[in-house]
Amino acid sequence: PRQPAKTLWYDRPRYVYLEFCVEDSRDVKVVIENERLVFSCKNADGVEFYNEINLYARVNSKDSREKRSDRSITCFMRKWKEKVAWPRITKENIKPAWLSVDFDNWRDWEGDEEVERAMLEQYAEV
C-alpha cells in the first residue's frame, strides 16, 4: 500500500519549494506539469510513497527541478506569475494531513531575491 510522504512547502517571489521528507529514497520519480506535481519513491524498507498535488497556480514546468539528498527530495518550481504570493500550495482550499508550511524557510519577501538566487545556485552546484 502506498502512503503520502510528509511534505513541507514554502513560497518565494519567483519559485515555490516543496520538500518530500523521505530518508534513503530510491526509484524517485517527480513529474512537474504546469498545474500539477506527482511524486513517488520508495524508502530503504520498501515502503512506497506517492503524492499528487494540484497546484494553486500555474508553474513553468520547463524551469522547475528537483534535488535528492539522503533525507529528502526538494522540488523548486518556477512560478508563471512572479512576485505573486501563494496563500497555499494546493488548488483546493483544503490542507492534507501530510502537508505543512516550512516555517524554517518561510520569511517576508522584502529584499529576498538575493537570498533566492543564492539558494538556486546552491542547488545547481550539486
Side-chain angles (χ1 to χ4, degrees), residues 19-64:
E19 183 178 8
F20 296 99
C21 304
V22 180
E23 291 191 24
D24 302 323
S25 59
R26 54 192 167 93
D27 302 335
V28 174
K29 290 184 187 70
V30 176
V31 178
I32 298 171
E33 299 171 353
N34 289 340
E35 296 180 1
R36 185 173 81 126
L37 178 140
V38 178
F39 166 81
S40 64
C41 76
K42 291 180 182 168
N43 68 7
D45 299 327
V47 175
E48 285 186 51
F49 292 92
Y50 179 86
N51 298 61
E52 186 172 331
I53 299 170
N54 291 316
L55 299 169
Y56 173 77
R58 192 168 178 193
V59 297
N60 182 344
S61 57
K62 293 181 179 32
D63 191 16
S64 300

Side-chain angles (χ1 to χ4, degrees), residues 7-28:
T7 308
L8 300 172
W9 82 281
Y10 58 102
D11 188 30
R12 284 286 187 274
R14 293 187 307 165
Y15 287 83
V16 175
Y17 295 80
L18 276 168
E19 183 178 8
F20 296 99
C21 304
V22 180
E23 291 191 24
D24 302 323
S25 59
R26 54 192 167 93
D27 302 335
V28 174

Side-chain angles (χ1 to χ4, degrees), residues 25-126:
S25 59
R26 54 192 167 93
D27 302 335
V28 174
K29 290 184 187 70
V30 176
V31 178
I32 298 171
E33 299 171 353
N34 289 340
E35 296 180 1
R36 185 173 81 126
L37 178 140
V38 178
F39 166 81
S40 64
C41 76
K42 291 180 182 168
N43 68 7
D45 299 327
V47 175
E48 285 186 51
F49 292 92
Y50 179 86
N51 298 61
E52 186 172 331
I53 299 170
N54 291 316
L55 299 169
Y56 173 77
R58 192 168 178 193
V59 297
N60 182 344
S61 57
K62 293 181 179 32
D63 191 16
S64 300
R65 336 193 136 60
E66 76 275 347
K67 176 180 172 271
R68 186 186 163 279
S69 71
D70 291 342
R71 303 190 59 176
S72 65
I73 300 89
T74 302
C75 302
F76 36 110
M77 299 174 291
R78 181 79 177 250
K79 293 178 177 180
W80 201 258
K81 291 183 180 164
E82 294 185 8
K83 298 183 181 170
V84 175
W86 286 25
R88 59 184 184 273
I89 191 76
T90 57
K91 188 171 204 68
E92 306 80 18
N93 193 7
I94 52 166
K95 188 187 156 303
W98 47 266
L99 183 63
S100 303
V101 170
D102 184 348
F103 287 106
D104 290 343
N105 285 304
W106 193 279
R107 58 178 69 91
D108 290 332
W109 288 2
E110 203 65 39
D112 202 37
E113 294 193 24
E114 290 300 313
V115 173
E116 186 174 37
R117 193 170 297 121
M119 286 173 60
L120 287 171
E121 287 170 6
Q122 174 190 341
Y123 281 124
E125 289 170 11
V126 176

